[in-house]
Amino acid sequence: MTFVNLIIGVILGVMLFESRSHFLLGAITGGLIAFLISKLVRLEKKIASLEKNIQPALKTVQKSHIVAEEQKVEEEELEATRYEPAKPVLEPVSGKIDELAITIPVTHSEPSEPEVEPLSIFVAPNRKDPLLELWNIVLSYFTGGNVVVRVGIIVLFFGVAFLLKYTIERNLIPIEFRLVSICIGAIALLVFGWRLRLKMPEYALILQGGGVGILYLTIFAAMKLYQLVPFGVALALLVGLSVFSAALAIIQNARSLAVIGISGGFLAPILTSTGSGNHVMLFTYYALLNGGILLTARYKSWRELNLIGFIFTFGIGLIWGSNNYQADMFASTEPFLILFFIFYVIIGLLFASNQPLQHKGYIDCTLIFGTPLVCFALQAVLVKPYEYGLAWSALVMGALYAALAWQVFKKGSDAMRTLVESFLAMGVVFGTVAIPLALDGRWTSAAWALEGSAIVWIAIKRQRGMARVFGLLLQVLAGFAFLSAIKEPSGIIAVINGYFLGCMLISLAGFFSSYRLYLQREKIETANVESLLAMGWALLWWFGGGIHEIDAFVHTNYRLAYIISFFSISGLIGFVVGEKLYWGRLKHVYKIILPILILGGGYSLINFNSRPSVYGGYAAWPLVFIIQYWLLYKDDESPFTNLMKYLHLGTFLSLITLITWEIAWWSDHMVRGGGIWGLVPWGVMPAIFVMFLSKWHCSLSWPVSVHKKTYLYSGLVPVVTCLWLGTIFINLLSKGDPWPISYAPLLNPLDLSQAFVLIAIFFWALAVHKEFSIYPFNLSRIHLFATMGATVFLWLNAILIRTLHYWGGVSFNLQSMVTSDLVQTSLSIFWTLSAFAVMLWGKRKSVRNVWIGGAGLIGIVVIKLFLFDLSNTGTVERIVSFMGVGGICLLIGYLAPMPPRIQEAAEAE
């Protein structure tokens, strides 16, 4: 059907107009007819379906009413007074589908009977398709009323047009006479129609419409084709005729007259066209016609009249522009486009405001949305030669629609809500489009992000879920658009450049959206999740932008100091702002500082191989710890107790590590890399913390006084563990070179530090037991002291080995120590003396387990002598071993015999 109508339209355009532009107009007309027919078929199907659905309801209502009447009649037969019940009255179903009502009043003659309210069935009104309405008007014109007269007036109109064309080509009658005669005939039609307006209203309106159309045609021809009427006079006549036809239509409430008059006016220049292409005169004429439509819209909401003007104005304008527009015509074309845009914006506004009360605020979507879209498309062609022309156009249109939305919102009622939202939507759309047309990718993204946050805010206030999601998605889109422009230059000034400011604006938009959603978490089901996602997005851009800025403008060695300072200050700002705004989630941002401390320290150790204070660290690290502990102090009553415990632990351990690292570097640096000096602080500094907290934890203030177990026990457990493991490994592997001083047993840096470490661990174990009634690591008393004794024994053996290395000349390696008679003899005698001391203490304290431990050590020495030393007894060292061990054993038997209980048990056996 569409294809057939297109062919018919093309043929009609060729036959009537013999012009390329009208050839196209005919094709468009045919396609439009096909579209309208399909719409009509669909509408008829809907009508049939609706009638089918309403019939059961009608039957049910009628049946229930009949039953009620029968019951009433039976009751009345028992009464003295009889009355005839009212029959149901059914209002005829009108042909309108948009509103159907069946009213059944049920009344009684007795005043004592309760009144029954009328029963009504309503069918919700449907939105009308504008093209379908236009088709209904055309169809009703040729199928209703006096068809012969209606067809006749159309034929007469075209006949006058062809007569003018014919007389022009052959010059048969003086042109002045012809035009005057036509005007007289048109006026006669008007007068005759006016006189018949009461007797034959339909016929009268047809005559008046024909007269108005003929006058349009004649005045335009006299002005443009024959130059008989000056432009000013013709302009005045056309304006007067527009006002006159609009007044006739309004006075008689005649849509058809308005439609006929305005259609004739728009067709006049087409029918009399000579192809000269004088667009100024054409658009001036159309402006006058649209002025008449505007005047009519001020009093009547005649949608078909508005649509006819819209289609003719922009349709003819589009055809003219595609064939004739040149860049040098901008100055004479742009004002008309602006004028037509203003006309139809106002007409759309008047249409919504002039609706009856029950339809107040009903908008014409074709005009509200079609006008800006069509005009913007045409504007894009006009301003194409200008670099920012389209950007300024979009910005002005966006501002105009935003202002209109605000004015309607201020002055209108709730019924105009749809119009307000429509204007606001158009303002947002054109504002969004203007940004990328005028700015680079970064500023475009930033502006979109701010716009998205504004949409989220308005959507929350207006309770619009889809708009809220759109605002959040627009911010995400802004972020990806920003990344697409990441290769553009960042600028030469730190902070004040497009990249950093763009990141900050995207971040601030995310923070704003997150906060507004956070406030609505109790009212909106998904607000909590949306707020969390928006905050994560904002933090990503905040920290990402800061790191990029540091990477771009700070020397490589100083970047770590700037990064940790940036994170710490950001956490401080977040906490302060969150506290002021009662935004709990933002207050927790500072908790990410601890991972940054750990990562920053590790990065510094790996890349710099230096001290933490280097490259700005002397200022950055103190600042970080001051801010961190201040925030922990302010947030001390946080409900997240476990998290706060780990934050205290992590910060405390990081502080010990960095201080120890710094002291160790200086110690090694001052001795110029000599021996053990670089390792000694790794034992001494943590031991100082352990000893300090063990001795004075009761007199310390916050944070130790409030979090005593966290700092005294949980915080020092990893420190003590590292010290103990360090003691084991350093005694096994290090020779303890004290260069530049000479080695002296015990009186050297390593042994002194080891002694201090062991003492600190011992005092710590006692403090933990005293404060919390437990021993560290959940060990029993015996196991704890056994571990401490074994550690001391290992340390003393290491002292002996290092002494033999420096004083006895034995190489410090495993093979040399095993094969050395001096080392083996010294170890045998030392172990035996150690066992003697242990057994003597066990004897005096009557602790049999300790005594047995010493006896076990004696056994190990004896086994060692007979398995390893017996094969080489010719050396003085081995003889000394046997004699020394034997003599000490005799001494043990005399001075430290088995404790009494053990001795008695042995004698009994």
Side-chain angles (χ1 to χ4, degrees):
M1 179 63 72
T2 303
F3 179 75
V4 172
N5 282 282
L6 283 172
I7 297 300
I8 295 173
V10 169
I11 295 173
L12 182 64
V14 172
M15 292 177 60
L16 293 179
F17 308 114
E18 299 179 354
S19 167
R20 184 175 55 172
S21 62
H22 301 110
F23 175 88
L24 178 62
L25 181 62
I28 294 173
T29 305
L32 182 62
I33 292 172
F35 175 78
L36 293 177
I37 292 175
S38 65
K39 286 286 187 179
L40 181 62
V41 171
R42 256 186 260 167
L43 181 62
E44 290 176 348
K45 290 181 179 179
K46 288 183 180 179
I47 294 173
S49 175
L50 185 60
E51 290 177 349
K52 182 179 180 181
N53 293 333
I54 203 66
Q55 288 302 322
L58 289 173
K59 292 179 180 179
T60 301
V61 172
Q62 291 175 350
K63 184 177 180 180
S64 61
H65 188 63
I66 291 173
V67 171
E69 287 181 351
E70 292 176 354
Q71 293 176 351
K72 193 67 179 177
V73 169
E74 292 176 359
E75 293 175 359
E76 290 171 353
E77 289 177 353
L78 302 176
E79 299 175 0
T81 305
R82 302 179 61 87
Y83 66 94
E84 187 69 15
K87 294 183 179 181
V89 179
L90 298 181
E91 294 183 1
V93 180
S94 64
K96 296 183 180 179
I97 301 303
D98 58 337
E99 185 173 352
L100 178 61
I102 301 113
T103 304
I104 305 174
V106 181
T107 58
H108 301 284
S109 60
E110 294 183 1
S112 61
E113 291 288 339
E115 294 184 359
V116 180
E117 295 182 356
L119 175 62
S120 300
I121 301 173
F122 291 94
V123 179
N126 295 325
R127 295 289 179 109
K128 298 180 180 179
D129 190 295
L131 296 176
L132 184 59
E133 289 184 19
L134 189 60
W135 169 254
N136 288 336
I137 293 170
V138 175
L139 188 65
S140 62
Y141 182 84
F142 287 104
T143 57
N146 196 331
V147 179
V148 176
V149 176
R150 298 188 178 196
V151 173
I153 199 66
I154 297 297
V155 173
L156 176 62
F157 181 81
F158 279 91
V160 171
F162 293 145
L163 174 62
L164 289 174
K165 191 172 183 179
Y166 181 81
T167 55
I168 292 169
E169 293 173 352
R170 291 164 176 76
N171 198 20
L172 299 178
I173 303 174
I175 188 60
E176 294 84 354
F177 179 78
R178 291 189 300 235
L179 294 178
V180 170
S181 301
I182 293 172
C183 288
I184 293 173
I187 294 172
L189 288 175
L190 281 172
V191 173
F192 191 53
W194 176 257
R195 293 176 64 86
L196 295 176
R197 70 185 186 280
L198 299 177
K199 295 181 180 179
M200 305 173 65
E202 277 191 37
Y203 183 74
L205 291 177
I206 293 172
L207 295 181
Q208 293 177 51
V212 170
I214 293 172
L215 286 176
Y216 273 123
L217 182 66
T218 305
I219 296 172
F220 187 85
M223 174 186 64
K224 183 178 178 182
L225 301 181
Y226 308 112
Q227 292 79 38
L228 296 177
V229 179
F231 177 77
V233 176
L235 187 64
L237 291 174
L238 290 173
V239 170
L241 186 58
S242 298
V243 174
F244 177 70
S245 61
L248 284 178
I250 294 171
I251 291 172
Q252 301 175 80
N253 195 25
R255 282 189 202 205
S256 58
L257 176 59
V259 170
I260 292 172
I262 208 67
S263 299
F266 278 110
L267 287 172
I270 299 175
L271 297 176
T272 59
S273 174
T274 60
S276 62
N278 190 342
H279 64 284
V280 175
M281 188 172 295
L282 174 68
F283 292 148
T284 303
Y285 174 72
Y286 274 11
L288 296 173
L289 294 179
N290 284 298
I293 295 175
L294 178 63
L295 179 63
T296 305
R298 175 67 179 83
Y299 301 98
K300 299 291 182 180
S301 294
W302 289 343
R303 188 162 185 260
E304 51 270 48
L305 184 66
N306 302 337
L307 290 177
I308 289 174
F310 179 82
I311 294 172
F312 270 111
T313 299
F314 293 108
I316 299 302
L318 178 62
I319 294 172
W320 172 85
S322 62
N323 293 323
N324 302 302
Y325 179 74
Q326 302 295 330
D328 57 356
M329 298 180 180
F330 176 81
S332 59
T333 306
E334 177 71 8
F336 288 107
L337 180 59
I338 296 173
L339 180 62
F340 294 148
F341 170 74
I342 294 173
F343 272 155
Y344 284 95
V345 169
I346 297 174
I347 290 172
L349 181 60
L350 291 174
F351 179 83
S353 60
N354 289 341
Q355 293 296 317
L357 185 61
Q358 63 271 25
H359 297 300
K360 195 73 172 179
Y362 176 75
I363 65 171
D364 187 344
C365 293
T366 304
L367 296 184
I368 295 298
F369 297 106
T371 299
L373 296 179
V374 171
C375 289
F376 189 72
L378 295 174
Q379 180 73 356
V381 177
L382 297 184
V383 299
K384 188 176 182 179
Y386 307 99
E387 183 177 3
Y388 295 107
L390 194 58
W392 282 109
S393 301
L395 181 62
V396 171
M397 291 180 72
L400 174 63
Y401 274 104
L404 286 174
W406 176 248
Q407 289 298 322
V408 176
F409 176 76
K410 284 177 60 179
K411 298 182 180 180
S413 60
D414 291 339
M416 303 294 285
R417 181 174 180 176
T418 304
L419 184 64
V420 172
E421 293 178 352
S422 300
F423 280 161
L424 183 61
M426 295 308 300
V428 169
V429 168
F430 283 108
T432 304
V433 170
I435 295 168
L437 294 174
L439 305 175
D440 62 15
R442 293 168 184 169
W443 287 108
T444 297
S445 304
W448 279 358
L450 294 175
E451 183 180 350
S453 65
I455 293 174
V456 170
W457 178 43
I458 295 173
I460 291 173
K461 295 186 68 175
R462 305 294 293 174
Q463 299 181 356
R464 293 289 187 268
M466 290 301 296
R468 189 177 71 251
V469 174
F470 172 76
L472 294 173
L473 292 178
L474 183 59
Q475 295 180 58
V476 176
L477 178 64
F480 284 109
F482 189 92
L483 294 177
S484 67
I486 198 170
K487 294 183 179 179
E488 297 180 8
S490 297
I492 60 175
I493 304 176
V495 178
I496 307 176
N497 59 77
Y499 192 99
F500 181 74
L501 294 178
C503 288
M504 292 300 102
L505 289 175
I506 294 175
S507 176
L508 291 175
F511 280 126
F512 180 78
S513 300
S514 177
Y515 178 62
R516 303 310 304 184
L517 290 166
Y518 178 81
L519 296 178
Q520 300 296 320
R521 63 191 184 280
E522 305 255 336
K523 300 178 181 178
I524 302 175
E525 183 178 356
T526 59
N528 199 35
V529 176
E530 293 172 6
S531 174
L532 187 61
L533 293 175
M535 172 169 281
W537 176 259
L539 290 174
L540 178 66
W541 283 96
W542 177 273
F543 290 116
I547 293 174
H548 178 275
E549 198 72 3
I550 293 170
D551 182 70
F553 293 96
V554 178
H555 189 273
T556 304
N557 294 336
Y558 289 89
R559 287 173 185 168
L560 177 62
Y562 277 86
I563 288 175
I564 61 176
S565 300
F566 171 67
F567 272 79
S568 297
I569 295 172
S570 298
L572 177 63
I573 294 173
F575 185 87
V576 173
V577 174
E579 198 169 46
K580 294 292 184 182
L581 298 178
Y582 300 99
W583 189 2
R585 190 167 290 159
L586 186 62
K587 291 173 60 176
H588 302 319
V589 171
Y590 80 90
K591 295 178 174 63
I592 65 175
I593 297 177
L594 178 58
I596 300 303
L597 289 177
I598 299 172
L599 294 175
Y603 176 84
S604 179
L605 178 63
I606 294 171
N607 289 274
F608 297 153
N609 193 24
S610 182
R611 64 190 189 279
S613 62
V614 74
Y615 301 124
Y618 60 87
W621 288 112
L623 174 67
V624 168
F625 280 104
I626 290 172
I627 291 176
Q628 178 74 351
Y629 269 110
W630 185 85
L631 292 173
L632 289 174
Y633 174 74
K634 298 297 289 185
D635 199 27
D636 199 47
E637 297 181 359
S638 173
F640 306 104
T641 54
N642 289 332
L643 178 60
M644 297 300 294
K645 172 184 175 182
Y646 291 122
L647 288 174
H648 278 279
L649 283 176
T651 307
F652 177 59
L653 294 176
S654 299
L655 180 63
I656 294 176
T657 303
L658 291 173
I659 292 177
T660 303
W661 182 4
E662 183 72 19
I663 299 298
W665 186 91
W666 280 107
S667 175
D668 185 63
H669 180 72
M670 293 176 68
V671 186
R672 295 294 177 184
I676 200 66
W677 294 97
L679 293 176
V680 167
W682 286 101
V684 174
M685 292 309 302
I688 290 175
F689 280 91
V690 173
M691 180 66 79
F692 181 78
L693 287 175
S694 300
K695 297 293 290 182
W696 291 284
H697 62 272
C698 293
S699 59
L700 294 175
S701 60
W702 187 95
V704 178
S705 61
V706 179
H707 307 278
K708 185 175 294 185
K709 189 171 184 179
T710 299
Y711 279 87
L712 181 60
Y713 182 70
S714 302
L716 291 183
V717 161
V719 177
V720 170
T721 302
C722 290
L723 287 175
W724 182 75
L725 293 174
T727 299
I728 301 298
F729 283 106
I730 202 169
N731 284 312
L732 290 175
L733 303 175
S734 176
K735 60 183 179 180
D737 184 8
W739 186 92
I741 63 175
S742 299
Y743 180 83
L746 289 177
L747 300 176
N748 62 79
L750 179 58
D751 291 335
L752 291 174
S753 66
Q754 289 296 293
F756 181 68
V757 167
L758 293 173
I759 293 171
I761 293 175
F762 178 73
F763 275 100
W764 174 71
L766 294 179
V768 169
H769 178 69
K770 179 181 179 181
E771 192 68 34
F772 307 113
S773 299
I774 60 172
Y775 285 106
F777 308 104
N778 293 322
L779 295 174
S780 64
R781 179 186 178 89
I782 295 175
H783 291 153
L784 178 64
F785 280 93
T787 304
M788 290 293 295
T791 306
V792 172
F793 180 69
L794 174 64
W795 170 54
L796 294 175
N797 277 273
I799 293 175
L800 176 60
I801 296 295
R802 287 192 288 266
T803 302
L804 294 175
H805 166 67
Y806 287 105
W807 288 5
V810 182
S811 298
F812 193 81
N813 58 72
L814 181 61
Q815 184 177 0
S816 299
M817 297 293 175
V818 171
T819 58
S820 172
D821 293 335
L822 178 61
V823 172
Q824 295 303 319
T825 299
S826 301
L827 288 176
S828 297
I829 294 174
F830 175 70
W831 289 5
T832 306
L833 289 173
S834 299
F836 171 61
V838 170
M839 295 171 72
L840 183 61
W841 188 86
K843 168 65 174 61
R844 292 183 177 180
K845 297 294 184 180
S846 298
V847 181
R848 58 182 180 177
N849 291 334
V850 174
W851 192 93
I852 292 172
L857 183 56
I858 292 291
I860 294 173
V861 172
V862 173
I863 294 172
K864 172 181 175 297
L865 287 174
F866 283 96
L867 289 181
F868 299 102
D869 297 343
L870 192 61
S871 61
N872 189 14
T873 57
T875 61
V876 176
E877 290 84 356
R878 299 302 171 91
I879 295 172
V880 172
S881 295
F882 278 87
M883 293 182 66
V885 171
I888 296 171
C889 288
L890 293 175
L891 188 62
I892 291 173
Y894 178 74
L895 297 177
M898 190 179 300
R901 286 182 294 174
I902 298 176
Q903 184 180 7
E904 292 172 1
E907 290 176 353
E909 292 178 358

